[in-house]
Amino acid sequence: MVQASAPGKCILFGEHAVVYGQPAVAVAIDQRMSVELSLSNDWRIDGMSFHPDRHPHVEALKQRLWDLGPALSIKISGNIPPASGLGSSAALSVAASAALRCARGRQMVDDDWAEGWTAARPGSIYDGPWTSSKGDSVVNGADCVDEDECAILAHAVEAYAQGGRASPLDSSACAHGGCIVLSDKIEDNLNWIYTRSLNGVSWHVHSVDLSNIDDVWLVIGSTGIHAPTSEQVEKVANLIKEQPGKMREIETIGIVSRRGIAALMNGDMESVGRAMSENHLLLRSLGVSCPELEVLISAAAPSSLGVKLTGAGGGGCMIALTRNPKMTSEAIELAGGRTLISKLASDGMKIDNDDKAPLWNPHE
Ligand code: PMV
């Protein structure tokens, strides 16, 4: 058996404004998706026959990493609620990429990769299947798995499953963990890790080290309402078309995000919280909050450093930054929300079991 897992994410700053080039900040959360692979007589997912159209992410990864490979039984588990803006599909894609790479091994030439994707060599990963060349040695198991490769693959298959549109925010946060900043320019003072381009759009991806921050938690409150991201993005686009002055809100979100990032880097959590609450007021003024989110946000505010909706809005989830996770969580639950508690920036993808790797040697 080969098993890998990856965290979900939530957006601390900059949702919606990122569509117009402003920076967005996402952090990995403690909740994870896990993918377990074992050899099987036929393709199965959670014991049922595998239907590519029902699992487009897995199908796209299968084409890229397991083309012609033997049938697998895939078990998916996890505690990230689906379709709630917490990155469940990106976490699944990252975990599945890691598990498939671990199960297949990697051909090497002169101690360098003979196959695979890195930010330095993007190749045609976004366009479709790929075949590798034969190397002079093979690395198997956890040692051949690479965060950057999982992030690229997850971005490619998210784009495939969403008709060509996906920013790398989720895939990068779920692969690397910690705190990820996306922007349309390379941000001074941040650690730029790579630039991704898809369909003529480029995003510069940075990481922020939050490993020194403790004694503060995120409480995520779900409204239980599903509002598709595409509809919320369109709502903002229409608002800006009708009222061009609303572009000021977008620009101000960018300023608030940058202030929030600086506060994060200084470990000044009171300022981080204030920036989050300010970000929320601007999102509200863009029309993407809703009464159910406002109820949860008001309930969480008294025990929190900052509160805001997270992700596309219109439903979905809110987040509270708090030193009292129990009290904040209870307040949100009393107001009718379901809660999850997480550290501020959790670990990235992991191989949890590689005892049986490799499950296939494509060059035998
Ligand atoms: O709800 P999520 O996690 O899909 O976040 C959407 C973030 C937006 O800025 C609203 C859209 C986007 O593509 O960045």
Side-chain angles (χ1 to χ4, degrees), residues 65-111:
L65 283 171
W66 210 257
D67 199 23
L68 307 178
L72 294 173
S73 167
I74 304 170
K75 285 201 186 116
I76 300 172
S77 56
N79 54 358
I80 308 173
S84 55
L86 297 179
S88 65
S89 72
L92 168 65
S93 302
V94 168
S97 308
L100 285 167
R101 170 59 75 194
C102 179
R104 141 182 199 140
R106 188 190 304 281
Q107 296 280 316
M108 306 288 288
V109 173
D110 298 335
D111 289 335

Side-chain angles (χ1 to χ4, degrees), residues 31-33 76 78-90 92 222 224-227 316-317 338 340:
Q31 289 68 31
R32 301 177 73 85
M33 295 298 290
I76 300 172
N79 54 358
I80 308 173
S84 55
L86 297 179
S88 65
S89 72
L92 168 65
S222 170
I225 299 169
H226 176 52
C317 293
R338 309 250 339 239
L340 299 166

Side-chain angles (χ1 to χ4, degrees), residues 9 11 14-19 84-87 167 170 229 233 310-313:
K9 70 93 197 24
I11 300 181
E15 51 272 271
H16 288 289
V18 68
V19 175
S84 55
L86 297 179
S167 89
D170 285 24
T229 299
V233 170
T310 186

Side-chain angles (χ1 to χ4, degrees), residues 7 59 141 205 239 294 359:
E59 170 60 18
V205 183
L239 181 76
E294 292 298 321
L359 300 180

Side-chain angles (χ1 to χ4, degrees), residues 308-322:
K308 67 184 277 292
L309 70 80
T310 186
C317 293
M318 49 73 67
I319 48 172
L321 184 73
T322 176

